[in-house]
Amino acid sequence: MKDNKVAEVKNLVKSYGAKGFLTKVLKGVDLEIQKKDFIAVMGPSGSGKTTLLNILSTIDKPTQGVVMVDGRDVSKMPNRELSKLRRDKIGFIFQDYNLLDTMSLQDNIALPLAMSGVSGKECIQKTGELARMFGLEEHLSKYPYQLSGGQKQRGAACRALITEPEIIFADEPTGALDSKSSRELLECLRKVNEHGQAAILMVTHDPFSASYARDVYMLRDGRIICRISRGSDRKEFYDRIIDVQTSMGGDFSWE
Amino acid sequence: MGMMRLAVLNFKNSFKNYLSLIISLAFTCVVFLNFQNILYSSAFDVLGTRNREYINMLVWMTSFVLGCFMVFFIWYSTNVFLVRRKREIGIYIFMGLSNQKIGQMYWIETVLIGLSALGIGLVAGMAASGLFQMILFVVSDLKLEIRFCSDIRSILVTVAVYLVIYMIFAWKGYGNIVRSSVLEMILAAKQNEYVRQNRFLLIGKAILGVVILGCGYGLALKEGRTNVMGNAFGAVVLVTVGVYLLFGGLIPFLFWTLASNKLFLYRGTRTLWINNVIFRMKKNYRTYAVVCVLMLCSVTALAMGFAMKERYDNMIRFENTYTFQLISSRSDLDKPARDLIEGESPIVFSSTLPVLSLDGSFVKAGGNYSKYEFVSYSYLRQLARDTGMELLFEEPKEDEVFLVSHLHLLSLITQQTNEIIVNGKLYRQTGEASVPYLGYLQESMNFYVMNDHEYEKLVPLGEELYTYNYRIQDLERFARIRDNLDVLVEETKENHTGRVAIDPQSNEIDWIKMLYSICIFMFLVFIFASGSIMFMKLYNDAFEERERCKVLRKMGIPQELLRRSVAAELLTAYGTAFVVMAVSSLFSVGALGKMMYTNLLSVNVVSVLVVLGILAVWYGLSLWTYERNGEIE
Ligand SMILES: Nc1ncnc2c1ncn2[C@@H]1O[C@H](COP(=O)(O)OP(=O)(O)OP(=O)(O)O)[C@@H](O)[C@H]1O
Ligand SMILES: [Mg+2]
């Protein structure tokens, strides 16, 4: 089933610091993301979640190991190609939204598509579709400062999706949202994933957010220590995540 | 810790942050000081009382622009300090400081910043003065001894004006802090200037701006004989206000309209840079307007310099048409004069021309002179043949005249009449030319060329004077011939004979060179001012770009596109200011051309191109630093 593999890391090692003072943050991580996956990565603060996500999304480079995105080895690609890969295959959702404050929500969403040379007509049409899907139609002409956190994050999700990427990387997308906004965003993401539009890899602290995923990976001390898969019921999944978290012990800090 | 020490500490820490503001404040001092230097330099002594009127007018207009410039910068800088200080206010409130204390701290800090800017400005100003002087000497090969170096008076005036304006704004800031509530100050921390603008306000400003600018342009080109100075000054004020409103209204409105047309907007990098331009325009339009006005000043100064230079050369040529000229009521002086001259030097060419002088009471024309001069066409044709000068017009008809005038350096009467009534008969003036048929004499006497028949009819009314004009070959003999001719003049005293000798060595009109040099000097000051202000602004703005670019890069927007977008954005900043300047210069230089009775279009175009070239350098520099400061490279 090689065709369905969107991204993959093998024996991933990442260390920071100068020689002699190296700290290994990731100590051999293997992870495979399939086309239909919705993965949540959980773990204590400082366990290397953001690092893992940055490497997978080609923003950061591994110290050792193989990173494959879209069937290609990323470590050997020149920067220009990497940009192209990120633009075409990868979508990003950041914790603090990162919408550009200089433009309206509509322009923010359309930006990646317009910049990649797609016709204005198509940009407008797609922006409209996504905005409808995420319940943002009435807010399109507003500027980021006029939007609530939840609306901004849904906008960011639209922006991530507009280029029809194969995979969405989200680092704590609900980190700054209240539970209602979180739920709205997660519902949308799940819908996107279930329609087969994109695989999703999400880093989160929050078991509730994680319970929207199909698989949860627990990261600790630079290693994936367990994987929990969802059954049919979200509530039950949520309880199981909590159980695992408790069993992992007190050092699972909530920051 | 005392207030003073806290403020000094703050000042030290923030010095680097405020460096660009301090530099721009210092720069206003540099410009102002340099202008004062011109005023107090020996330059105007050379000019003496002659043409004092024009000079005063120029000084006033320039002072107005420079004054606006200084007020703007001080207001802008103190406001930036104020907003930043208010943002940090939370800390001090928790330290238990009262509004008064915080206000005092702000005041001390602001004054320290102001004083350091003044200090830097004075030192840099004196250095710049010397530098400009050197450039001037190279550019204008002045023989006159002019000193532009810093006069103590100019330093005092600069310090006084600067401090008065600065203190007013510092006190204003102090009052603002004392009066504001704690909540308001903490809120200021979160405030940011946002893009949204009231559409109707924008349209209103746009319309008002266009109307005011239009009035300014109109006033600049308005013909007048009495209130030309008032008109010119009014035009300067209106254009300044108009440009300000243009950048606050019409230009953002245009971009805003572009941005709301999504089909247009969603193409390549447009989404990014057009939105950025709108965002920046809202914050920076005052700066852009100031830059634009300064650019307009620089281009006008340069055009004036060019025009002066050209006019100077022409006037030299005009005056030097003949070496000697006699004027007398006797018609038979040609032979004796010619003999006298030819005894010493060959004659290159010579001419005689009878001129009819009529008392002003017979004539009703544009001016109000005590005498009017008339010449018959066939005599003039003869003169043209003798001297090889061209005759630009046909023989006037019975009811026509043609005016032959001199070159004006500047004239405050720009209104032309094209009718003249002589002895009750109306003549239509078909044209005007300034060919030096009568050389130096023509400097003080315009004459109307008439149909021979009409001329004969007028002869009995006035007095016919004969002019004898000679250009000699051997200029070494100038003095001897002059003395010989004086004998002849003395002998025919009862015929009101007069003699003009144009010494080719004299530098009587060198003062025009002076004006020309001052124009070039002002040009340098203005172009440097406008370029550096724009540069500073963009230099600062670039830092804001860092975050944005980081996000965009993460999203996979290629470096290439980011750079292109930045290039387009900066080009718009410089470009809009340049275009508004270029259009406005048509009117400012046009007005100048009117005063000089000439068409300065080509001079205008050349000046604009020179400014364009210099701006291109500034643009390149800005782009380079912008990419570095914004970490886009
Ligand atoms: N650029 C860097 N240089 C040095 N060390 C770094 C760098 N980036 C991250 N680290 C270190 O790597 C470790 C993992 O960081 P990472 O950001 O991946 O943690 P995280 O799991 O995302 O934590 P959190 O849940 O708090 O966001 C931390 O100990 C951090 O100090
Ligand atoms: Mg993290």
Side-chain angles (χ1 to χ4, degrees), chain A residues 171-192:
Chain A
D171 193 354
E172 315 240 10
T174 57
L177 302 183
D178 63 17
S179 61
K180 179 170 168 285
S181 307
S182 297
R183 205 162 24 216
E184 282 167 351
L185 175 73
L186 290 161
E187 283 297 345
C188 290
L189 287 180
R190 181 159 69 187
K191 212 163 25 172
V192 165

Side-chain angles (χ1 to χ4, degrees), chain A residues 45-46 48-51 95 171-172 203 205 255:
Chain A
S45 181
K49 303 180 297 287
T50 299
T51 310
Q95 176 171 1
D171 193 354
E172 315 240 10
V203 164
H205 271 112
E255 195 156 314

